[in-house]
Amino acid sequence: MKSDQYTLCDIVEQLESQSCNTPVIAMWVDIEDEKSEMPLHQHQHGQLVYALKGGVRCQLPQSTLIVPPQCAVWIPSGVMHSIHTTANAQVCYLFIHPSVSSLPKAGCTLSIAPLVRELILNLSMQPHQYSPDSALGRKALVLLEELAQMPIEHLSLVTPDEPRLQKIAKHLFNHPADRRTLAEWGTKVAMSERSLARLFKHETGMTFGRWRQQLHLIIAMHQLSNDSSVQSVADYLGYQSVTAFITMFKKAVGKPPAQYFSSLNQMDNHNLDKAS
C-alpha cells in the first residue's frame, strides 16, 4: 500500500468503524522514497507499529519510542501519538480491539519473536473482515496471546513536563551534539546545577547524563535504520571518535552497531523473502 498520511488515517478510521467484532486488523504499508510523518492522532483500537524494514519513531505525550527493524511499538487505545518513518521503510500496522488486548497499559517498544513475525505477516495479507470463530479468527487470538509475552525493549525516552526541562530537551533533540554541562544549562534556565539535577531526576527518573545518552541511542537507532553510516551518526551526535560512539552503543544494546543491524537485516531479508 502506498504511504499517504491522510489516506492511511482515513482507511484506519473506516476499518475501526467496521470492525467492532474483529479482534485484530493488520495492514502492510510501503513507505516511498521520502520520509513519512503522521501528525498527532489517536485510535479507538490499540495500535502495534511493526518495522519490517527501515526505522520508525513514535512520539507519545510523555515519551519517545524507537522502532528499529524487527521490533514493534505498542500504543494503547486512545493515546495521542505521531509516527515518523524513514524513507523506503516497510511497516505493518496492527489495530487491536481494546476488549481483547492484554498488552501493557502504557506505550512501549517490544521485541518480536519469529513466530509472532510470521503471524503478523500472514494476517497482513488476509481480509480485514472475518469471524472471530473462523480459522483466521483463531489465528488472530494466538497472535494476541503471543504478543502479550513479548519482552519490552528499553528503547524509549521520557519527555519532561516541566517547561524549562522541555526547552532543554527540545534543543538537545534538534542539536544532539550540544555538549553543555548541567551547570551551563542551569545558567541558561536560571537554576542552580543542584536544583536542575534534582528536577531532571524527578521528571524523567534519570540523571541528566543518562537521559542524554538515551537520547543519543534513540537518534542513533533511527538514523542507522535509515542506512546512515556509523561515522556520520557519531559526528552528528558530537562524539570525538567513532570508537567512543560504538562503546556507548554496545553498552546500551549489547552489540556494536554493525553487528546489531546485521543480525536484524538477516532476519528482515528472510522474512521478506518468505512474504513474497
Side-chain angles (χ1 to χ4, degrees):
M1 178 182 298
K2 179 182 177 181
S3 172
D4 182 288
Q5 63 187 28
Y6 302 108
T7 301
L8 181 56
C9 288
D10 290 342
I11 291 172
V12 171
E13 183 177 352
Q14 183 179 11
L15 289 175
E16 288 190 316
S17 68
Q18 297 175 352
S19 61
C20 294
N21 297 318
T22 304
V24 185
I25 304 164
M27 187 189 313
W28 179 326
V29 177
D30 289 321
I31 309 300
E32 294 190 331
D33 293 341
E34 298 298 323
K35 298 176 182 178
S36 172
E37 178 176 353
M38 293 181 65
L40 279 172
H41 62 288
Q42 61 184 355
H43 303 289
Q44 301 170 22
H45 289 50
Q47 183 180 15
L48 191 82
V49 184
Y50 175 45
L52 291 162
K53 179 182 177 184
V56 180
R57 187 179 80 246
C58 294
Q59 184 66 53
L60 277 61
Q62 293 183 316
S63 63
T64 300
L65 301 172
I66 196 72
V67 199
Q70 307 309 326
C71 287
V73 153
W74 165 244
I75 305 167
S77 170
V79 173
M80 294 292 295
H81 61 283
S82 61
I83 299 176
H84 308 261
T85 310
T86 59
N88 298 313
Q90 291 180 323
V91 183
C92 271
Y93 294 98
L94 266 65
F95 300 94
I96 301 174
H97 198 283
S99 65
V100 297
S101 174
S102 56
L103 288 164
K105 301 297 183 183
C108 59
T109 300
L110 301 174
S111 180
I112 300 298
L115 173 60
V116 177
R117 286 197 298 269
E118 297 304 322
L119 288 168
I120 291 173
L121 289 172
N122 182 270
L123 196 63
S124 71
M125 295 181 280
Q126 305 300 327
H128 293 141
Q129 293 295 321
Y130 56 87
S131 171
D133 59 0
S134 66
L136 186 54
R138 291 190 291 273
K139 188 182 296 183
L141 293 179
V142 171
L143 171 58
L144 291 175
E145 290 178 2
E146 293 295 326
L147 273 175
Q149 300 178 48
M150 293 298 97
I152 295 175
E153 295 283 345
H154 299 292
L155 295 175
S156 63
L157 185 72
V158 176
T159 304
D161 286 330
E162 204 279 334
R164 288 166 294 186
L165 298 193
Q166 281 189 345
K167 180 180 179 180
I168 295 172
K170 182 178 180 180
H171 175 86
L172 290 176
F173 204 99
N174 293 326
H175 307 280
D178 189 326
R179 294 289 176 163
R180 269 181 278 193
T181 65
L182 198 59
E184 290 171 326
W185 277 114
T187 301
K188 183 75 173 178
V189 298
M191 290 183 68
S192 70
E193 180 181 2
R194 181 175 297 181
S195 296
L196 186 57
R198 283 199 302 264
L199 184 59
F200 221 99
K201 185 69 179 291
H202 174 75
E203 286 276 316
T204 68
M206 302 179 184
T207 65
F208 174 71
R210 179 70 185 87
W211 184 91
R212 181 158 57 183
Q213 182 178 338
Q214 187 71 1
L215 170 67
H216 285 175
L217 179 63
I218 293 289
I219 294 173
M221 283 283 191
H222 196 64
Q223 292 194 353
L224 291 169
S225 296
N226 198 31
D227 296 327
S228 296
S229 69
V230 173
Q231 177 71 65
S232 66
V233 174
D235 290 343
Y236 180 72
L237 296 177
Y239 283 83
Q240 293 184 344
S241 69
V242 173
T243 301
F245 168 71
I246 291 174
T247 299
M248 180 280 292
F249 192 97
K250 184 177 180 180
K251 184 177 179 180
V253 304
K255 297 178 181 179
Q259 186 178 344
Y260 178 84
F261 281 92
S262 176
S263 62
L264 292 181
N265 288 335
Q266 287 174 8
M267 291 189 295
D268 178 40
N269 292 334
H270 171 72
N271 287 321
L272 292 177
D273 288 343
K274 293 183 69 174
S276 60

